Amino acid sequence: MGAITLNSSASLPLLHFLHRQPALRSFMVIRGIDELCSQMLNVAIGWYVYSATHNPISLAYVGLARFLPNIGMVLVTGHAADRLDRRKIIGLSLFLQALCIAAFGILSASALSIGPVYFLLSVIGAAQAFCSPAMSATLPRLVSSEEFPRAVAVVSSAWQICALVGPAVGGLLYAVSGPGMFLFSALLYLIALTQVLRLAQERCTTRSEENDPIDASPLGGIRYIRSNRLLFSIISLDLFAVLLGGVTALLPIFAKDVLAVGPAGLGCLRCAPGVGAAIVGLVLAHCTIQRGAGKRMLLCVAGFGFATIVFALSRNMWLSLVALIAAGGFDMVSMVIRQTLVQVSTPDAMRGRVSAVQWMFVGASSELGEFESGATAALFGTVPAAFLGGLGTLAVTALWIKLFPELLRAENLATNTMS
């Protein structure tokens, strides 16, 4: 299967590696600030909207307002990322989000009004829908192909850390300053905006594409994924694994009725997957995977399913935390391999459209996964729902091994061994 080993770039200490990569550092700042502010906004907007309506359904509309643009605009956003300057798309997205968040600050300082909130959230969702494929398609051009797996791990770790601290920072700032939290977030976005120009230091691509025939249509990304069995297997495996195996929506029930640990315990349960992902991401930033990438991804998806089963059956808080930390760690390994294989298997001229489709499936799997968890829990009970989700993930992994032998043959993360 190969091993997790050090190549010439991975043998450098992490700080030295980042010191040599000014464009990558800027990219990390942008991704980190974007995720930090997004998590802060989730907390503040959730509190603001519920305080104004006292209706739980209003919180569902908050999620829909941010998620629907990713589905409705997937063809446009991916096409734009492949036809226009990606740095300009990223910069405009950050600027629009800063304006909208500043507008939230003005709204929250006045009388409670919900209508403009949903409009502003839709604008933010649209801006993020353009930004995500542009960012994903930019990263492979900032580092060499040998350094790319490590760059994915470093960026993913920074993203996970910001996702962990964002809700706590947002809640604290909103409690202390109210509208000041929105203005602080807007300022952070403006700081991220100053880093966009440094993304111009593009050095190399992961493969030679000059002679490759490129489908220039908006549907090119979908066609390319359908025609490339490796890409199709990777993206669809992630979709079904998250759809079946996610237990995030059930954590409040586990905390209250199964483990009886209260709100504090729920906070620990919610943080546990992110802690596991951040730790494993930092490990992968030092020791990159050199061989057996496809097999390792399949093993980690299966490990994610097994950890979900352990969590479902556990009645001990510590064992439940360990299971969720393990699930987050397995998911991080799978995500790093998946993101790397998708990018190195895609020509640069199509990365925007492929990334847009991929991010749509990631968002859809998360949103639909929470719905599936809730519906299954309502039908069979909370513990059986989580247990069946873990079993479903294991079953999907076994089925994908049978249907897509290309996954087992995917070896090196630094080069496209399957094309």
Side-chain angles (χ1 to χ4, degrees):
M1 248 182 75
I4 298 179
T5 58
L6 296 173
N7 59 22
S8 58
S9 91
S11 62
L12 292 172
L14 181 57
L15 292 179
H16 188 195
F17 172 73
L18 291 175
H19 179 72
R20 295 174 55 245
Q21 310 285 352
L24 180 61
R25 294 199 306 272
S26 296
F27 188 92
M28 288 178 60
V29 169
I30 295 170
R31 285 299 299 268
I33 287 178
D34 188 35
E35 181 60 20
L36 179 68
C37 292
S38 180
Q39 293 295 334
M40 292 167 61
L41 186 65
N42 287 341
V43 173
I45 290 298
W47 183 272
Y48 176 85
V49 169
Y50 189 71
S51 297
T53 64
H54 300 286
N55 187 352
I57 195 63
S58 62
L59 299 178
Y61 296 149
V62 168
L64 284 177
R66 299 185 67 177
F67 173 67
L68 288 179
N70 285 279
I71 294 180
M73 304 176 68
V74 60
L75 298 180
V76 176
T77 58
H79 193 58
D82 285 334
R83 296 296 297 272
L84 305 176
D85 187 332
R86 291 164 183 165
R87 290 171 297 125
K88 292 181 179 178
I89 294 174
I90 296 168
L92 180 59
S93 170
L94 296 174
F95 182 68
L96 284 176
Q97 290 181 76
L99 287 180
C100 289
I101 291 177
F104 278 130
I106 298 173
L107 280 175
S108 64
S110 58
L112 293 176
S113 178
I114 298 304
V117 170
Y118 294 130
F119 171 74
L120 290 173
L121 287 173
S122 297
V123 175
I124 290 176
Q128 291 175 335
F130 276 94
C131 188
S132 290
M135 290 286 287
S136 295
T138 296
L139 181 56
R141 297 187 63 87
L142 302 180
V143 296
S144 68
S145 59
E146 291 77 15
E147 295 168 326
F148 183 61
R150 192 179 193 188
V152 172
V154 171
V155 172
S156 299
S157 297
W159 182 88
Q160 283 290 347
I161 292 170
C162 290
L164 278 174
V165 303
V169 173
L172 180 62
L173 286 178
Y174 192 72
V176 172
S177 62
M181 192 231 71
F182 295 107
L183 300 179
F184 177 72
S185 297
L187 177 62
L188 287 179
Y189 269 116
L190 294 179
I191 293 174
L193 188 60
T194 65
Q195 300 296 308
V196 172
L197 289 179
R198 300 188 67 181
L199 299 182
Q201 300 177 29
E202 299 179 348
R203 295 212 304 262
C204 52
T205 61
T206 57
R207 56 178 289 184
S208 176
E209 298 150 2
E210 291 78 3
N211 299 321
D212 289 350
I214 298 298
D215 185 343
S217 72
L219 294 173
I222 296 176
R223 295 193 186 107
Y224 188 77
I225 291 173
R226 289 182 58 189
S227 65
N228 188 313
R229 285 178 55 84
L230 177 63
L231 285 184
F232 182 77
S233 64
I234 292 170
I235 294 174
S236 58
L237 176 62
D238 179 55
L239 169 65
F240 285 105
V242 175
L243 179 64
L244 296 173
V247 295
T248 301
L250 303 179
L251 291 182
I253 305 176
F254 271 93
K256 185 177 186 298
D257 298 332
V258 179
L259 300 172
V261 292
L266 173 60
C268 293
L269 293 174
R270 288 297 299 264
C271 288
V275 170
I279 292 172
V280 171
L282 290 174
V283 172
L284 292 177
H286 288 278
C287 307
T288 57
I289 297 172
Q290 296 300 303
R291 291 288 184 267
K295 295 177 183 177
R296 291 184 183 279
M297 187 179 72
L298 288 165
L299 281 174
C300 287
V301 173
F304 177 81
F306 180 75
T308 302
I309 292 174
V310 172
F311 173 78
L313 299 178
S314 171
R315 297 298 180 270
N316 179 275
M317 178 62 174
W318 291 107
L319 179 59
S320 297
L321 286 175
V322 169
L324 290 176
I325 289 172
F330 283 126
D331 188 51
M332 173 58 80
V333 177
S334 173
M335 183 177 71
V336 169
I337 295 174
R338 182 175 66 250
Q339 292 290 343
T340 305
L341 285 177
V342 167
Q343 296 299 335
V344 302
S345 300
T346 305
D348 181 70
M350 300 195 69
R351 284 197 180 111
R353 284 165 290 173
V354 169
S355 296
V357 175
Q358 182 189 14
W359 281 111
M360 181 192 70
F361 279 114
V362 169
S365 63
S366 298
E367 296 288 337
L368 294 176
E370 293 191 7
F371 174 80
E372 180 271 339
S373 296
T376 308
L379 289 173
F380 304 111
T382 303
V383 172
F387 181 78
L388 291 173
L391 282 182
T393 301
L394 293 177
V396 166
T397 304
L399 181 61
W400 257 237
I401 292 174
K402 178 71 173 178
L403 294 177
F404 300 100
E406 294 86 352
L407 272 174
L408 293 174
R409 296 198 298 267
E411 278 289 323
N412 198 329
L413 287 182
T415 57
N416 179 8
T417 60
M418 301 302 300
S419 61

